Amino acid sequence: MSLPYRNVPNSSQHDRPESPAIGSSERPKAKIQEVAGCSDHRDKDSLVGSCESFNVFTGLINYPELLFEVAGHLDLEDLISLYAISRDFHNVMNTRFTAMIIYQARVQSPESSRVFSFRAYRTLCHGDPSGQQNEGKVTDVRLVPTFRWLRMVYFRDKVVQDIIRNLAAAGHMLPPRASLVLKKVWMALDIGTNAKRIGLFHNPALWSDEDLYIATMFFIKLDMRLSDPVDGCGESTFRKMMMGQRSLSILCTCLNAGGRLRQLDIL
């Protein structure tokens, strides 16, 4: 009589650990903890070493796009100081000098950067530090805006806002577009001859009918402010003298002084 066949496990099957069932979350814990402990120890050592040697600014230098985004929120004086003391930032900015200056102007003063284009102010430009040449003239290095142009853009934006605020404080309100129109007026004052100024005002692409209307409104309200017998200087020709200057900063100084400056003070 034959005995039934039995599947007797061999010694290798006794030594082998039981594998977890399919779908269960159990895992061999001892070996995993051992490996995890070794890797955590190595990761901690490498993390401490990398933290000691890591520098945020040095990391941004390797990514110019991020560097420009961060630099766009810096004040002008901080940007100039960073450009002067950091060799790495100096070299990176020289490769993209025009893009950096224009981006800075568009972030801080978008209207002024469009009205006072650096191409119209040759004295506020210098040769490209990267040595890029003009497309038409191979022998000439192209001109790029400088920090002086950027400083001018910031200054004029501040002066225009002060003029509008002083007129509003005296009860002479102007529409929101007046800021852009005053900057266009200042741009016209920079032109040396009346013939070119007339051509500028006759250009509908630069001066629309709405701009001319707001400019006329500004002159009328400025007359009312300066010719006021109590709060102003009481002279009707004072506005002509103010607008005959090459800069609106003198008008801003007059309004900040309460409009009580005399013609002798201006001279």
Side-chain angles (χ1 to χ4, degrees):
M1 181 175 181
S2 61
L3 296 176
Y5 175 76
R6 293 182 180 180
N7 186 10
V8 180
N10 53 22
S11 60
S12 62
Q13 290 178 346
H14 281 290
D15 298 336
R16 184 182 305 170
E18 296 182 357
S19 60
I22 299 175
S24 65
S25 59
E26 296 181 357
R27 294 292 184 271
K29 298 180 179 180
K31 188 175 295 185
I32 292 179
Q33 290 176 356
E34 180 182 357
V35 175
C38 296
S39 61
D40 289 344
H41 181 70
R42 290 194 298 267
D43 292 342
K44 288 179 181 179
D45 293 340
S46 61
L47 181 60
V48 171
S50 61
C51 289
E52 291 178 354
S53 60
F54 179 73
N55 188 304
V56 176
F57 181 74
T58 305
L60 289 175
I61 290 294
N62 299 325
Y63 300 93
E65 292 77 11
L66 293 178
L67 183 64
F68 289 172
E69 184 69 26
V70 173
H73 299 280
L74 295 177
D75 293 335
L76 178 59
E77 300 301 329
D78 295 337
L79 181 65
I80 295 176
S81 300
L82 184 61
Y83 180 76
I85 64 179
S86 175
R87 178 180 299 179
D88 295 334
F89 182 77
H90 186 98
N91 295 332
V92 171
M93 186 170 177
N94 282 345
T95 59
R96 302 170 176 86
F97 200 88
T98 304
M100 183 63 185
I101 295 295
I102 293 180
Y103 178 77
Q104 185 83 7
R106 289 179 178 176
V107 169
Q108 303 290 342
S109 304
E111 280 187 357
S112 299
S113 63
R114 293 196 306 268
V115 175
F116 307 111
S117 175
F118 71 92
R119 295 180 178 86
Y121 298 89
R122 188 181 181 89
T123 58
L124 301 179
C125 300
H126 63 61
D128 193 345
S130 62
Q132 295 188 17
Q133 299 175 346
N134 289 325
E135 298 179 357
K137 299 180 181 179
V138 182
T139 58
D140 296 341
V141 178
R142 67 174 186 173
L143 296 177
V144 297
T146 62
F147 289 112
R148 293 175 57 198
W149 174 80
L150 191 59
R151 193 187 300 274
M152 180 202 70
V153 168
Y154 289 175
F155 172 75
R156 294 193 173 188
D157 188 78
K158 179 179 179 300
V159 168
V160 169
Q161 296 300 327
D162 286 345
I163 291 175
I164 295 176
R165 183 170 56 253
N166 284 323
L167 289 177
H172 305 290
M173 304 296 295
L174 291 171
R177 192 177 173 82
S179 175
L180 178 61
V181 173
L182 284 183
K183 293 169 185 176
K184 291 184 177 182
V185 171
W186 202 337
M187 176 65 182
L189 296 178
D190 292 332
I191 300 177
T193 60
N194 287 332
K196 293 181 180 180
R197 292 176 182 174
I198 293 174
L200 179 68
F201 287 110
H202 284 181
N203 190 345
L206 300 177
W207 279 86
S208 62
D209 294 339
E210 183 181 4
D211 294 339
L212 295 175
Y213 173 79
I214 295 176
T216 305
M217 181 189 301
F218 165 71
F219 294 141
I220 294 174
K221 290 182 178 293
L222 186 61
D223 260 336
M224 297 170 61
R225 174 68 180 88
L226 295 178
S227 61
D228 190 279
V230 178
D231 296 330
C233 58
E235 298 183 13
S236 59
T237 60
F238 206 70
R239 189 263 306 169
K240 295 181 180 179
M241 186 176 183
M242 290 287 98
M243 300 309 300
Q245 308 298 320
R246 294 294 299 270
S247 174
L248 292 181
S249 59
I250 300 177
L251 174 61
C252 182
T253 303
C254 175
L255 293 176
N256 287 332
R260 296 182 177 86
L261 289 180
R262 300 172 301 172
Q263 294 187 5
L264 181 61
D265 298 331
I266 300 298
L267 296 177

